[in-house]
Amino acid sequence: MTDADGSSTGGHHSSTGEHHPPGRPKLRLVDARPVELQGQELVALRDLAWPPDRVVLVSHAVAALASLFDGERSLPELAGELARMLGGEVEEELIASVVAQLDEALLLDSPRYRADLADRLARFRGLPHRPMILAGECFSPTAEQATRELDGFYLMEDGPGRLPSQRELSGQPLRGAVAPHIDYQRGAPLYAQAYLQVAEGAAEADLFVLLGTDHKGEVDAPFSLTDLDYDTPFGPLPTDKDLVQDLARRLPGLLAGELGHAQEHSLELQAVMLR
């Protein structure tokens, strides 16, 4: 098994101390898709919270074995199950080797993974603000260029045909708006339609609540709340930290999925438009 760059599976994460592979391995919820590399048919496994280039490549046989890792079967039981699937004897040492490598790659729900997750979450929470991940790819990282780009959305075909204006404030205060979270290149006119309404109908608002898609979708952390300010080309969009902490006190576990913000783009695209 190798990472996408050919290095060993353990080459991209922080050290988590001494951890032993689990005796009843459980595969985490990961993205799996077939790929071809140098004429070889492989399966790419990736945690959606990882950077896009952090991919673990395994054979179809290993992927089939890993699909049996439900946290209930022991290593001897897994060897027996795989033997029945293949129609031949399978050594337990082979199963143990695969378990160890997948654990090293942080693809198993294990003490090693949880220790690494706690370390990454602590480092994320220690950042001065949530960094932009689409700057330079979806929008310009500089304020001047980004202003020209975003202003152009309003004048595109299917856009509102004008920039927001304080003179056009609507009589009814806006309570909510639905905006796309697709990339700007494909959704620009719709972003402009939505944020024209926001700019002119919610000009007096002092709090905006952003609700976005979490594409990773952790089963044990269905909500991803953060009190980090969101960085944008125009400076950080400040988060109401007191409100976030109050919600977290009232509903324990709301911050458990906070690391989902690290690679999730849906609120970043809203934050840039709103800022």
Side-chain angles (χ1 to χ4, degrees):
M1 293 186 295
T2 61
D3 280 343
D5 63 0
S7 61
S8 67
T9 54
H12 287 280
H13 57 84
S14 60
S15 174
T16 56
E18 186 68 26
H19 293 290
H20 299 288
R24 296 181 182 270
K26 181 179 181 180
L27 185 68
R28 296 181 46 248
L29 184 64
V30 297
D31 181 67
R33 59 189 63 199
V35 297
E36 183 177 333
L37 181 66
Q38 298 175 347
Q40 191 176 7
E41 301 274 339
L42 301 169
V43 177
L45 303 177
R46 185 170 80 87
D47 182 333
L48 294 179
W50 289 344
D53 62 349
R54 173 75 169 97
V55 177
V56 178
L57 301 177
V58 301
S59 68
H60 281 264
V62 169
L65 173 60
S67 71
L68 302 175
F69 293 178
D70 56 5
E72 301 293 332
R73 295 179 173 95
S74 66
L75 299 190
E77 290 170 332
L78 287 166
E81 183 69 24
L82 188 61
R84 283 190 292 273
M85 291 172 60
L86 299 178
E89 186 176 351
V90 175
E91 295 184 0
E92 187 177 324
E93 289 75 12
L94 174 64
I95 307 296
S97 174
V98 171
V99 169
Q101 291 184 69
L102 289 179
D103 189 37
E104 179 72 15
L106 304 176
L107 293 173
L108 301 184
D109 185 358
S110 68
R112 180 192 296 274
Y113 165 72
R114 288 190 287 274
D116 180 84
L117 177 64
D119 177 63
R120 287 185 290 132
L121 183 55
R123 286 188 279 116
F124 180 72
R125 288 173 173 168
L127 295 173
H129 45 66
R130 186 268 189 193
M132 296 179 284
I133 60 172
L134 294 180
E137 177 183 342
C138 188
F139 53 84
S140 174
T142 65
E144 182 178 1
Q145 181 62 28
T147 297
R148 286 197 295 268
E149 292 170 359
L150 271 60
D151 280 356
F153 296 174
Y154 293 88
L155 305 178
M156 294 176 68
E157 185 179 359
D158 296 330
R162 62 180 178 84
L163 295 174
S165 169
Q166 292 297 306
R167 296 189 300 275
E168 302 289 343
L169 296 183
S170 62
Q172 270 308 98
L174 187 71
R175 299 302 183 190
V178 178
H181 70 257
I182 199 169
D183 59 89
Y184 289 156
Q185 286 79 359
R186 288 180 286 179
L190 296 179
Y191 276 102
Q193 293 281 11
Y195 280 92
L196 182 80
Q197 304 301 318
V198 172
E200 297 180 351
E204 303 303 319
D206 56 11
L207 177 69
F208 292 85
V209 179
L210 300 183
L211 302 175
T213 298
D214 180 356
H215 289 89
K216 182 187 176 188
E218 282 281 5
V219 173
D220 57 351
F223 300 101
S224 303
L225 199 64
T226 185
D227 67 0
L228 288 180
D229 299 339
Y230 257 67
D231 197 17
T232 79
F234 317 104
L237 181 70
T239 296
D240 189 332
K241 294 175 173 55
D242 291 338
L243 176 57
V244 169
Q245 293 301 328
D246 183 54
L247 286 171
R249 281 192 296 271
R250 293 168 183 264
L251 298 169
L254 271 186
L255 292 173
E258 186 172 5
L259 194 62
H261 286 264
Q263 295 297 321
E264 175 56 62
H265 65 268
S266 64
L267 288 191
E268 176 174 334
L269 295 171
Q270 311 306 323
V272 172
M273 291 295 297
L274 187 59
R275 183 71 173 84

